[in-house]
Amino acid sequence: MSKTVLFWGRFGPEYSRNRVYISLFKELGWDVRLFLVKWCCALGDVEFALRGPKGPKPDLVWVPVCRQRDAAAATRWARRHGIPVVFDPMISYWDKKVLEQRKWKADEPRAKRLLAWEAKRFNAVDRLLCDTSCHADFFHTRLGVPREKLRVLFTGTDEAVFKPADRPEDDPPHDPKAPLRVLYHGAFLPLHGTEVIVEAARRTQHLNLHWDFLGWGARKAAAMEMAKGLPNVTFLDRVPYVEVPRVIRTADIVLGVFGTTEKASRVIGNKVYEAMACCRPVINETCTGYPPEAKTCPAITFIPPGDPQALVDAVLPWIDRRDELYALRQTARDFFERHLSMAVIKRQLADILADLGL
């Protein structure tokens, strides 16, 4: 008989990270049931008694991405029924409020209350997931989660969407006389450091080099204002999700994150998974959370955070080395398949489940 996992919370099943993990559970032979909380997250166990999905008791409760508000009720319910709980927070609310957005100071009473509230939820579950080893270190040192509860599970991407071109003619070498094209795509988050990218564009506006931006978010307007008058910058029109790989393949190089917040140095951005899945080399700020093999992979260039000149210096050599850059497309895909793909994450997930005796 197959095992059952219950995804619990007020969450979006179609969000990339949730979708990846749901699909991997199914590949591992698990049944997946969803309990989408509609009323009060803190009283989700009460709501479950009234309108939860019917059927046999699940073997595992899974609290998805960023659902700290659901974790306490999910854990209470699971404990009453003798079911283990895995929580995939992805981020820390305290980290976001204090270290990333810098809206609160760490010594403020409200920041201390948030840290204690979050730590309680993180420590109550059986396993706490981290997208990189850097985040595991952070959850241990800042939120007091024991090492034995922490497990790394990479984010991954939807490989049915982000993949090599179906036909070689859909991804030809770029014209060596055309501008080298560098792409940022994302949500203009503080950790992305889009101001670093715009400044790098400003320093290269008279070279055969073009910088494209795709996406939306709170800091997009500031980036557009900063880029006013730059002839080598284009903010692309929004495209459907399934069209993003086509845009990625118009670029020679894809950019990761360059922010100066602590979190920026702990993550492997979705854009990196997506770019390498689509056969594109990337530039990213230094992050020890990548697989160790990334240090020697020629399709990944690491630079210091918040340094526009370092980004310029990383891009410029490729203007006159297009043939080498074209060859790195397959190198990028090979690295993705060996270290970041769904097959890798499936093995990570299987190990986590085995560790729980499931």
Side-chain angles (χ1 to χ4, degrees), residues 186-336:
F188 290 83
L189 298 174
L191 67 90
H192 291 176
T194 48
E195 68 280 1
V196 174
I197 303 171
V198 175
E199 175 58 22
R202 187 188 66 77
R203 298 183 186 191
T204 58
Q205 58 187 304
H206 303 300
L207 300 174
N208 196 28
L209 176 61
H210 199 90
W211 306 74
D212 291 314
F213 289 77
L214 175 69
W216 55 94
R219 296 203 170 193
K220 181 175 182 178
M224 294 179 72
E225 181 65 26
M226 186 177 175
K228 272 187 178 178
L230 296 182
N232 62 338
V233 172
T234 299
F235 287 85
L236 303 172
D237 292 335
R238 188 168 181 169
V239 300
Y241 174 77
V242 295
E243 287 294 309
V244 174
R246 176 187 58 76
V247 178
I248 290 174
R249 288 193 287 270
T250 67
D252 296 292
I253 299 170
V254 176
L255 303 178
V257 302
F258 306 99
T260 56
T261 65
E262 285 188 32
K263 183 181 172 185
S265 65
R266 294 191 229 111
V267 302
I268 303 175
N270 285 357
K271 55 185 61 54
V272 172
Y273 288 95
E274 294 164 358
M276 301 192 84
C278 291
C279 306
R280 285 302 182 270
V282 299
I283 301 173
N284 196 85
E285 73 172 64
T286 301
C287 171
T288 58
Y290 279 72
E293 295 80 2
K295 295 179 181 178
T296 56
C297 177
I300 305 175
T301 301
F302 291 110
I303 65 172
D307 190 338
Q309 189 55 48
L311 179 54
V312 170
D313 294 341
V315 169
L316 286 186
W318 297 112
I319 294 177
D320 298 318
R321 293 163 57 191
R322 300 293 185 86
D323 291 343
E324 295 175 55
L325 191 61
Y326 179 67
L328 287 182
R329 293 182 183 180
Q330 189 57 48
T331 303
R333 177 67 193 189
D334 290 345
F335 181 88
F336 173 82

Side-chain angles (χ1 to χ4, degrees), residues 332-351:
R333 177 67 193 189
D334 290 345
F335 181 88
F336 173 82
E337 290 180 356
R338 289 196 303 271
H339 302 292
L340 300 176
S341 66
M342 293 273 274
V344 172
I345 302 166
K346 183 178 179 180
R347 291 195 294 270
Q348 291 178 328
L349 178 58
D351 287 345

Side-chain angles (χ1 to χ4, degrees), residues 62 86 127 129 151-153 347-358:
W62 185 283
V86 172
R127 294 294 181 272
L129 302 183
R151 295 294 183 273
V152 173
L153 188 63
R347 291 195 294 270
Q348 291 178 328
L349 178 58
D351 287 345
I352 292 167
L353 297 175
D355 181 50
L356 289 168
L358 297 171

Side-chain angles (χ1 to χ4, degrees), residues 21 33 60 64-65 70-71 82 97 110 115 121 128-129 174 187 196 199 259 264 277 279 295 302 318 340-341 350:
Y21 296 162
R33 286 191 285 163
L60 177 67
V65 171
D70 289 296
K97 187 74 70 173
R110 57 184 177 178
L115 182 63
R121 281 146 181 79
L128 190 76
L129 302 183
H174 286 176
V196 174
E199 175 58 22
C279 306
K295 295 179 181 178
F302 291 110
W318 297 112
L340 300 176
S341 66

